[in-house]
Amino acid sequence: ISFQKNKKNLTATRSTEEKQTLLQQIVLQIDEPSLQRQIQMISLTKEDLFISYKLKPYIEEKIDEIVNAFYASFESEQALITIINTYSSVDKLKTTLSKHFIKLFNGQFTQEDVARIRRIAHIHVKIGLEAKWYMAAFQPLLSKIIEAIEPHFQTKHELLNAIQSCTKLFSLEQQIVLE
Ligand code: HEM
């Protein structure tokens, strides 16, 4: 995949040393040809990783609310609550989910992340969680994220870009989960 165009876009938006330092932290390194094509198909670029990295403080600030909304969303699904209480507890999972989630906004997406997401997905297969519930659970997370970042944008254009970047990251994670 060529990131030339995106590099240019990124450097065009800022011009300081600070920006160079920031850019060095942005890494999109995927070796698997199929995943590379999927990334191309959803137009996930370093620009998106850069944008998501800038969102990280807003996500961190609201992480408790985000994660609470996630668990509240399946409170009425007794089967899911039973799975959680059999294998873990909501309190424990809130901590692991927060960590996992904040990592998604690290400005990096590498084979390491792919391996981590596959490992987490596998854990859910082992506990018998059906894929439809796993997928459904992403929506309250995304909704809460959009709510969390919205107040930080002055223009519709910038907000739209930020939401696009978040949905692309979620899409990629979902694609890996469903493999
Ligand atoms: C474990 C993320 C959906 C139940 C985990 C872990 C993460 C995670 C990061 C910790 C894995 C580890 O030990 O390293 C997610 C994400 C989801 C999702 C991103 C969807 C967006 C669900 C749903 C349930 C669930 C819907 C409902 C039953 C569990 C349970 C564990 C777990 C019971 C603990 C398994 C064990 O320790 O044996 N999840 N999860 N997850 N998740 Fe989820």
Side-chain angles (χ1 to χ4, degrees):
I1 301 176
S2 160
F3 299 121
Q4 285 312 316
K5 183 168 161 274
N6 308 308
K7 250 187 208 155
K8 210 172 126 206
N9 284 348
L10 290 176
T11 38
T13 50
R14 290 187 185 195
S15 59
T16 57
E17 259 176 52
E18 177 212 2
K19 186 167 144 195
Q20 285 309 320
T21 319
L22 256 179
L23 278 174
Q24 277 163 18
Q25 296 175 47
I26 309 302
V27 182
L28 180 53
Q29 184 60 58
I30 297 296
D31 309 325
E32 294 174 42
S34 171
L35 274 178
Q36 285 176 346
R37 294 205 307 278
Q38 287 163 248
I39 286 169
Q40 215 152 26
M41 186 164 168
I42 63 168
S43 308
L44 177 83
T45 65
K46 282 182 82 172
E47 181 96 30
D48 293 302
L49 296 185
F50 184 61
I51 291 172
S52 65
Y53 182 69
K54 287 194 289 184
L55 299 177
K56 193 178 171 187
Y58 311 146
I59 307 293
E60 281 175 319
E61 189 182 46
K62 296 277 178 181
I63 193 67
D64 289 346
E65 256 179 64
I66 296 170
V67 170
N68 284 341
F70 170 82
Y71 287 105
S73 73
F74 50 80
E75 233 162 30
S76 53
E77 278 306 321
Q78 193 47 50
L80 300 184
I81 301 298
T82 304
I83 292 180
I84 290 184
N85 293 332
T86 306
Y87 295 96
S88 188
S89 70
V90 170
D91 276 351
K92 234 173 100 182
L93 287 178
K94 277 182 179 170
T95 314
T96 33
L97 183 66
S98 301
K99 281 190 197 149
H100 166 68
F101 203 52
I102 287 168
K103 269 212 180 95
L104 202 60
F105 293 85
N106 261 358
Q108 305 197 349
F109 208 96
T110 68
Q111 287 294 147
E112 233 174 82
D113 298 292
V114 175
R116 182 169 52 86
I117 293 168
R118 283 181 180 147
R119 191 183 54 78
I120 294 169
H122 186 65
I123 288 173
H124 292 89
V125 171
K126 279 210 301 207
I127 63 171
L129 178 68
E130 289 177 89
K132 64 181 180 185
W133 295 118
Y134 202 147
M135 290 301 115
F138 277 98
Q139 188 54 44
L141 279 174
L142 185 59
S143 296
K144 274 286 158 192
I145 286 171
I146 295 171
E147 271 177 48
I149 64 173
E150 192 269 340
H152 300 279
F153 290 91
Q154 261 86 55
T155 71
K156 205 158 118 182
H157 175 73
E158 281 179 322
L159 174 63
L160 212 61
N161 276 345
I163 296 173
Q164 296 272 29
S165 300
C166 293
T167 55
K168 287 180 196 177
L169 279 173
F170 266 58
S171 169
L172 185 57
E173 173 156 345
Q174 288 169 344
Q175 290 169 50
I176 295 166
V177 165
L178 284 180
E179 271 169 4

